[in-house]
Amino acid sequence: MTARRVALIGAGGIAQTYLRLLGQARADEIVLAAVVDIDETAAERAARPFAVPAFTSHALARDSVDLDAVIVCTPPVTHATIASDFLRVGVSVLCEKPLTLDAAAARSLVAEARSSAALLSMAAKFRFVADVAEARRRLLDGEIGEVVQVDNTFAAVVPMEHRWTADRAVAGGGVIIDNGTHSVDLVRWFAGPIREVMAVEGPRQQGLEVEDNAQLLTRSTSGATGRIDLSWSLAIDEPWYLRVHGTDGAIDIGWRESRLRTAGNDWRRFGRGYDKLAAMGEQLRNFVAAVDGREPLAVGTDDAIASVEVIEAAYRSLGTQSFVPVAPPKPRVELAS
Ligand SMILES: NC(=O)c1ccc[n+]([C@@H]2O[C@H](COP(=O)([O-])OP(=O)(O)OC[C@H]3O[C@@H](n4cnc5c(N)ncnc54)[C@H](O)[C@@H]3O)[C@@H](O)[C@H]2O)c1
């Protein structure tokens, strides 16, 4: 097997986890071939231990280094351009979430990927958490019946005042797009496609130009509902971040362990909780295997578009106090008189 040559685009916070994984990866499967960051010091610091070139422009790296794939770890506003610049030359892209700031950009990026031999995936690490994967297997095996409701909470105190995360032009919004992108992917993963969504914003506690507290209600095409709590300002300290309620039981997926209960029976514990490194390692392994043609991509372009569409619909619904359809509105057909 020839190792896949990968470049890391963006060498900030989340990139450090990918660097750890690349440092541990089998050299015959994946090798880091270049690092790019507009901050030269950050690029060089990341590249040095691997003895690979550092660049301050992704286009320069693309034109100078032989690459099979890139991992895009830059702020969201840059994702569409960077991903497109690599897809266009046949380099596969694992893009950090959110894929893009809006659904129109997501659709055009996906169209580009579909017309190229290269693959496009959006990072959705929670799907690769071992407990989440086991929960889904057990759901599909029928252990809790059909999904009725999914509850998700991603709420912790994270001061965002001086970060791009709170800059609407860079991030596309606040906690709804930041944490909520993970949430809607999980709801879709367990309850299927989301048909409509309603978002409610809570008080702004950090004085930001974007929301730092919000709740989303979703309805899937199956009729199942989703209830999502998002916050950068409230520490909602619960052991379970995802609860899947079924017709014949329930599954709670937690930070330290998980549990399943079938109707009329006690909870039975399973799993070991949340392990970010292991989950992102599994995500990277699947991406590289898919680039190699050895297995299907776990998070495909339909998933990536859908997550952006649900978040966009959630923002459309803010302030309307009503559900908003996720599917793009159909163009009006004017009847000839
Ligand atoms: N999956 C997760 O759990 C997770 C966690 C954190 C962040 N993220 C996502 O990862 C992405 C990066 O977030 P972060 O927290 O690492 O941000 P960060 O600010 O820590 O790092 C971003 C880096 O990108 C560099 N950069 C900016 N524009 C660039 C460009 N055009 N070309 C090359 N480099 C550029 C910056 O200099 C910086 O070093 C975001 O999309 C974010 O939503 C995902």
Side-chain angles (χ1 to χ4, degrees), residues 9-15 18 36-39 42 55-58 72-76 78-79 82 96-98 123-126 163-165 178 182 274 276 280 283:
I9 317 296
I14 196 67
Y18 287 108
V36 180
D37 199 296
I38 50 171
D39 174 345
F55 297 88
T56 52
S57 139
H58 71 275
V72 179
C73 297
T74 53
T78 66
H79 290 178
I82 294 175
E96 260 305 333
K97 58 86 205 166
K125 68 179 177 193
F126 282 98
R163 294 212 58 201
W164 58 257
T165 335
D178 186 39
H182 287 302
Y274 172 69
K276 175 177 164 182
M280 288 179 60
Q283 171 178 271

Side-chain angles (χ1 to χ4, degrees), residues 28-79:
D28 60 344
E29 284 187 357
I30 179 170
V31 290
L32 183 67
V35 178
V36 180
D37 199 296
I38 50 171
D39 174 345
E40 190 173 2
T41 312
E44 279 172 358
R45 194 185 310 122
R48 199 170 307 120
F50 293 85
V52 297
F55 297 88
T56 52
S57 139
H58 71 275
L60 202 55
R62 178 198 58 191
D63 298 341
S64 322
V65 183
D66 181 23
L67 293 172
D68 297 302
V70 292
I71 306 170
V72 179
C73 297
T74 53
V77 69
T78 66
H79 290 178

Side-chain angles (χ1 to χ4, degrees), residues 45-301:
R45 194 185 310 122
R48 199 170 307 120
F50 293 85
V52 297
F55 297 88
T56 52
S57 139
H58 71 275
L60 202 55
R62 178 198 58 191
D63 298 341
S64 322
V65 183
D66 181 23
L67 293 172
D68 297 302
V70 292
I71 306 170
V72 179
C73 297
T74 53
V77 69
T78 66
H79 290 178
T81 303
I82 294 175
S84 161
D85 285 349
F86 283 102
L87 289 171
R88 205 174 300 143
V89 296
V91 173
S92 294
V93 176
L94 172 60
C95 184
E96 260 305 333
K97 58 86 205 166
L99 183 68
T100 56
L101 296 192
D102 60 61
R107 285 186 213 110
S108 92
L109 193 58
V110 164
E112 205 159 350
R114 286 177 182 162
S115 67
S116 134
L119 297 182
L120 171 65
S121 185
M122 184 190 76
K125 68 179 177 193
F126 282 98
R127 283 197 194 193
F128 298 92
V129 172
D131 287 17
V132 172
E134 179 170 347
R136 188 153 184 281
R137 265 195 310 276
R138 295 176 74 166
L139 169 72
L140 295 180
D141 285 347
E143 288 192 47
I144 64 162
E146 301 297 320
V147 175
V148 176
Q149 181 179 317
V150 178
D151 297 336
N152 163 245
T153 302
F154 285 139
V157 177
V158 191
M160 292 295 189
E161 191 185 347
H162 302 295
R163 294 212 58 201
W164 58 257
T165 335
D167 180 342
R168 185 183 303 283
V170 178
V175 75
I176 292 178
I177 191 166
D178 186 39
N179 293 3
T181 296
H182 287 302
S183 306
V184 301
D185 187 67
L186 282 173
V187 172
R188 288 185 70 255
W189 192 227
F190 282 90
I194 296 174
R195 192 177 72 210
E196 52 186 6
V197 60
M198 176 164 78
V200 176
E201 186 183 346
R204 291 193 185 185
Q205 291 177 262
Q206 297 190 29
L208 307 172
E209 66 157 330
V210 294
E211 77 287 350
D212 57 344
N213 288 305
Q215 286 96 46
L216 308 187
L217 278 181
T218 65
R219 197 176 346 254
S220 299
T221 51
S222 67
T225 50
R227 212 174 51 166
I228 299 168
D229 262 340
L230 302 169
S231 183
W232 289 331
S233 300
L234 297 174
I236 303 180
D237 226 352
E238 285 180 3
W240 322 111
Y241 60 87
L242 189 68
R243 311 187 79 168
V244 184
H245 307 277
T247 48
D248 300 325
I251 307 175
D252 290 345
I253 302 168
W255 299 109
R256 294 177 185 278
E257 62 180 355
S258 301
R259 59 185 190 172
L260 182 146
R261 174 169 69 183
T262 50
N265 293 308
D266 287 338
W267 288 105
R268 276 175 295 140
R269 300 191 179 278
F270 71 91
R272 309 179 70 146
Y274 172 69
D275 180 337
K276 175 177 164 182
L277 193 67
M280 288 179 60
E282 180 57 16
Q283 171 178 271
L284 186 58
R285 189 206 59 72
N286 168 257
F287 175 67
V288 172
V291 170
D292 263 345
R294 286 184 279 115
E295 53 184 81
L297 207 49
V299 183
T301 47

Side-chain angles (χ1 to χ4, degrees), residues 282-330:
E282 180 57 16
Q283 171 178 271
L284 186 58
R285 189 206 59 72
N286 168 257
F287 175 67
V288 172
V291 170
D292 263 345
R294 286 184 279 115
E295 53 184 81
L297 207 49
V299 183
T301 47
D302 285 346
D303 300 309
I305 287 191
S307 79
V308 180
E309 283 179 346
V310 176
I311 293 298
E312 187 172 276
Y315 280 112
R316 272 204 311 276
S317 85
L318 265 183
T320 66
Q321 297 182 38
S322 57
F323 276 96
V324 160
V326 169
K330 297 214 166 34

